[in-house]
Amino acid sequence: MSLESFAKDLEKIVGPENVLSNESDRHAYSYDSAVLEPKMPAMAVLPKRTEQLSDIIALCSRAGMPITVRGSGTNLSGGTVPDSEESVVIVTQALNNILEINEEDMYAVVEPGVVTAYFANEVAKRGLFYPPDPGSQAVSTLGGNIAENAGGLRGLKYGVTKDYLMGVEFFDASGALIKGGSRTVKCVTGYNLPGLICASEGTLGIISKAILKLIPPPKASRAMMAVFNGIDAAASSVAGIIAAHILPCTLEIMDSVTISLVEECEHIGLPKNAGAILLIELDGHPAQVAEDSETVESVLRKNGASEVAVAKNEQDKDKIWEARRKSLPALARSRPTIVLEDATVPRSKIPAMVSTIGEIAKKYDLLIGTFGHAGDGNLHPSILCDKRNSDEFRRVELAIDELFTRTVEMGGTLSGEHGIGTAKAKWLKMETNAATISFSKKLRRALDPKGLFNPTKITGTAI
Amino acid sequence: MTKIGELARAMREFDDRIIKCMRCGTCQSVCPVFTETHSEADVARGKLFLLSKLSEEMLKDPKLAREKLDRCLLCGSCQAACPSGVNTMAIFLEARALNARYMGLSPIKRLIFRGLLSHPRLFDFLSALSAPFRPVFMRPQKNAARTAKAPLLDILAGERRIPQMPRKTFSAEFGRIDLPPGKSGLKVLFFPGCMGDKVYTNVTKACVKIFKHHGVGVCIPASMACCGIPALASGDRDAFQKMAHLNIEIFKREKYDYIVTACASCTETIKEMWPKYAESDDDKKYAAMAAAKALDISEFIVDVLKVRNGPALKKASERVTYHDSCHLKKSLGVSAQPRVLIRMNAACELVEMPESDKCCGCGGSFTLTHYEISKQIGKRKRDNIVSVSPDVVAAGCPACMMQISNMLALNNDDIKVKHVAEIYADSLVEAVQ
């Protein structure tokens, strides 16, 4: 089948205006948020109804055309970069209906293209709470969140996307509709297909509908900021808070590089010489929040916090979180390229991880700012560089290689929340083993015999 | 070297600024065009990527890329939201200038920018000449938005409702205005802009009334040119520079404490664009000085005159909702002052619409070149307005007023469209001259 006749058939399914195949459009779907070489697809298709997904997949299957599914293209591991110029990008952004928000049974049914923050806001309007809040939530889609098992700031207490996925409908490689999970809290009907699809990065099926768990929102919350001279004191405070059996809803850390860049850039009154800052938010019943916040404050002081500020009102709270909100922008503005990693270690290894990052920065002569989710061990070492400088970028690649090696040595994982995609595929064996990759490939071959679903992602081509 | 090669080389100057885009996609959440089309090439991230490919000479068909670049309202929403601080407005404006230089300008735009807008006397003359023929072209409607049908125009520019035109332009009716300062001791140079002079003369009259009421001297010189933004937005740097120069020469002859406009786009152009893109060093130097004195009318009243309270309270009889013009809020940071003005009119109750700062979809000549998308964006604005059932929708920019009137009229909505200066002026007793 020629590309032209393939495009014509695609147009018959979605209408000519929803098949984008000119040069400029192909470029526009050649990248995502990962710092990787772009790859143009043959065309992009924007279905307007979820049923069209089935026909599109069946057509691609007949034509042997590889498929990359893309939500908003905010992926940080290259999962939405096309595999080859002979492939199709299916864009789910127009499949953006919230089909149901059930207040009585506390769940919602959504199409894959619904934007995360929009959804959370609609849920909040009905007095309920959808906790997963990835950094890209203003644009990311729920389908993408599921395909990547997206996390966010609230991971420590509330978990991540997989903890809210009750059910899923998806199309398999032949275009057949598969249903897994249910609207019920308990469901052991067959395999845990939602669990299989979650974090599958578009390699096992194409999500058309999801049932998401909602919970009652906390009645009260309190934010505080603690300043430390050194990172170790901040890390031992984190351990101390958990040891006191308190689970803050967010427990974020900023290292000295991040603090000074934020302050230089934004002048919001952060102590420029601080070694680390912890940003903490507690939520729950008002009485418990009050009690926990006293405990946390004393843990912080006992562990050597030089300053502890507790928000008295919404305005204070907003000011405290401003430091965290400005972290990524401040880092991004400091150099032309930012390589944002998400290597994750067991919580107790955070001091070791931070000093490892410092050693690596020194060894490869790079500027690395680190911030992230201290409470769950998911840090974001951000390498600030210029990808056009080939010598510098070679050092960046060496630094990443060493970072992952050391992470795995500490019992950590390559990716806390960004996924493997193509960016981290080469280290997968280091964390798992050859048999695991072979098992994964067999799984892929069984479900996708022609190897058309995002073929080069995670395990590399299985066929 | 080929033209494309030259274009690519010129584009390379952008490289340092484009590389700052970390492709996070945040612009998707604010871009009015993308909201309607869901097409990646319509959002700043896509456009910046295309520009980088253009500079790498990776595009076989730069005309296509140009078409994509033109699908932009220059509303500045992406720049205001960008975490990496990419200066998208300047990049897109400059890219359009390069495109126009290497690929040419459309004949109609060339005629308008170089023939009409750069020759204020000719523009005035033609406006006066055409006035008696208006009834032939325009059929005024009896609606709250005070629009007219223009069947002949519909053929050229798609079915649309245009503002009812005044019998005479402001400058034809009043000529040069020069009133000395009163009790405030201040004198302003008022720049009505094309719309304030030729279409919304009531807005200009309202501003003069406000100045008189507060004892502010006002000068409105004759024969001012367009501020230049339509030409600049289309990449016609030469015509823009000519218009800026004509105005600067006129401004130089006047004595004033502030330059005030009632048009968000004019204010932004005078403040931001003249100093950056004027032709000669002399013009740039004067423009920088003028920029420091340029203010939106609501800023002038609230921040300079410190007017805070309106006349004695009476029961509010009109529900007024306010639309934040992009160039006013996102470019100039003016959003509180217009609301203060509305609240100062005791007859008005301010009700906020959802997404008040989402673009109306006008985008200057965008509405002419991309009417279908412009209407889709405008429909969303219209729906947001209607959702709070107002009697009046107010704005601080005549271009937004025109777009909103069109959308309301096409939907037969019974809602008036006013400038915030008109609302405030309505509350003032006419000053004794």
Side-chain angles (χ1 to χ4, degrees), chain B residues 297-312:
Chain B
I297 179 79
S298 66
E299 258 183 307
F300 177 73
I301 299 168
V302 177
D303 297 346
V304 177
L305 298 179
K306 313 269 183 215
V307 179
R308 286 289 187 281
N309 299 309

Side-chain angles (χ1 to χ4, degrees), chain B residues 110-123 126:
Chain B
R110 182 181 293 268
L111 183 72
I112 293 174
F113 301 146
R114 303 197 176 176
L116 203 59
L117 297 186
S118 311
H119 297 93
R121 279 171 208 280
L122 177 67
F123 193 14
L126 288 176

Side-chain angles (χ1 to χ4, degrees), chain A residues 57-385:
Chain A
I57 296 166
L59 173 64
C60 289
S61 175
R62 283 199 301 280
M65 184 70 95
I67 299 169
T68 293
V69 188
R70 175 187 168 106
S72 300
T74 55
N75 192 294
L76 283 162
S77 56
T80 40
V81 177
D83 296 285
S84 74
E85 294 208 10
E86 297 269 301
S87 70
V88 174
V89 170
I90 300 180
V91 183
T92 61
Q93 285 181 307
L95 308 172
N96 57 358
N97 294 304
I98 298 175
L99 303 171
E100 184 185 359
I101 295 178
N102 192 312
E103 295 169 43
E104 217 175 356
D105 294 326
M106 296 205 289
Y107 68 81
V109 185
V110 297
E111 291 183 345
V114 174
V115 170
T116 315
Y118 171 77
F119 174 67
N121 192 36
E122 289 300 306
V123 165
K125 280 186 198 166
R126 288 160 181 81
L128 290 168
F129 184 29
Y130 178 72
D133 58 346
S136 55
Q137 59 175 330
V139 280
S140 70
T141 63
L142 291 167
N145 292 168
I146 294 165
E148 298 293 327
N149 191 12
L153 273 64
R154 300 191 182 113
L156 169 64
K157 178 169 179 179
Y158 289 103
V160 295
T161 304
K162 71 169 183 209
D163 300 308
Y164 294 85
L165 186 63
M166 299 168 76
V168 67
E169 289 187 8
F170 60 94
F171 292 102
D172 74 1
S174 70
L177 181 67
I178 313 298
K179 300 179 176 197
S182 133
R183 287 166 164 74
T184 55
V185 174
K186 295 174 176 172
C187 170
V188 287
T189 309
Y191 287 111
N192 180 4
L193 296 181
L196 182 70
I197 282 297
C198 191
S200 66
E201 301 190 17
T203 63
L204 300 181
I206 296 181
I207 301 162
S208 60
K209 198 189 271 188
I211 304 168
L212 299 171
K213 180 169 85 178
L214 307 175
I215 61 173
K219 290 199 168 57
S221 70
R222 185 171 295 177
M224 55 180 90
M225 176 167 96
V227 180
F228 299 88
N229 293 327
I231 197 97
D232 287 345
S236 56
S237 296
V238 171
I241 292 167
I242 308 295
H245 290 183
I246 291 171
L247 280 185
C249 66
T250 40
L251 180 42
E252 297 285 302
I253 194 164
M254 295 165 67
D255 77 342
S256 57
V257 176
T258 310
I259 296 166
S260 59
L261 281 172
V262 169
E263 193 47 32
E264 261 168 48
C265 193
E266 303 286 342
H267 310 289
I268 54 175
L270 295 180
K272 267 178 103 166
N273 300 320
I277 285 179
L278 283 183
L279 300 164
I280 304 156
E281 187 162 323
L282 299 159
D283 68 0
H285 187 276
Q288 194 193 352
V289 170
E291 193 183 311
D292 286 355
S293 107
E294 274 173 32
T295 313
V296 169
E297 213 178 320
S298 83
V299 170
L300 292 168
R301 295 200 192 278
K302 222 180 283 169
N303 283 283
S306 56
E307 190 190 326
V308 178
V310 180
K312 303 264 183 296
N313 48 40
E314 279 301 306
Q315 220 175 338
D316 284 0
K317 183 172 163 183
D318 193 62
K319 200 159 159 31
I320 284 180
W321 283 108
E322 189 179 13
R324 175 61 174 84
R325 278 199 305 275
K326 302 285 189 198
S327 293
L328 183 59
L331 293 170
R333 284 167 200 229
S334 68
R335 292 293 311 276
T337 309
I338 176 166
V339 180
L340 185 68
E341 286 303 344
D342 69 327
T344 302
V345 290
R347 202 160 35 220
S348 61
K349 294 290 195 304
I350 281 188
M353 184 64 170
V354 172
S355 57
T356 298
I357 293 167
E359 285 163 27
I360 291 173
K362 204 166 163 195
K363 179 170 171 188
Y364 296 100
D365 189 20
L366 294 166
L367 182 61
I368 306 182
T370 301
F371 65 98
H373 323 305
D376 54 31
N378 178 197
L379 295 181
H380 291 305
S382 306
I383 311 178
L384 311 169
C385 56

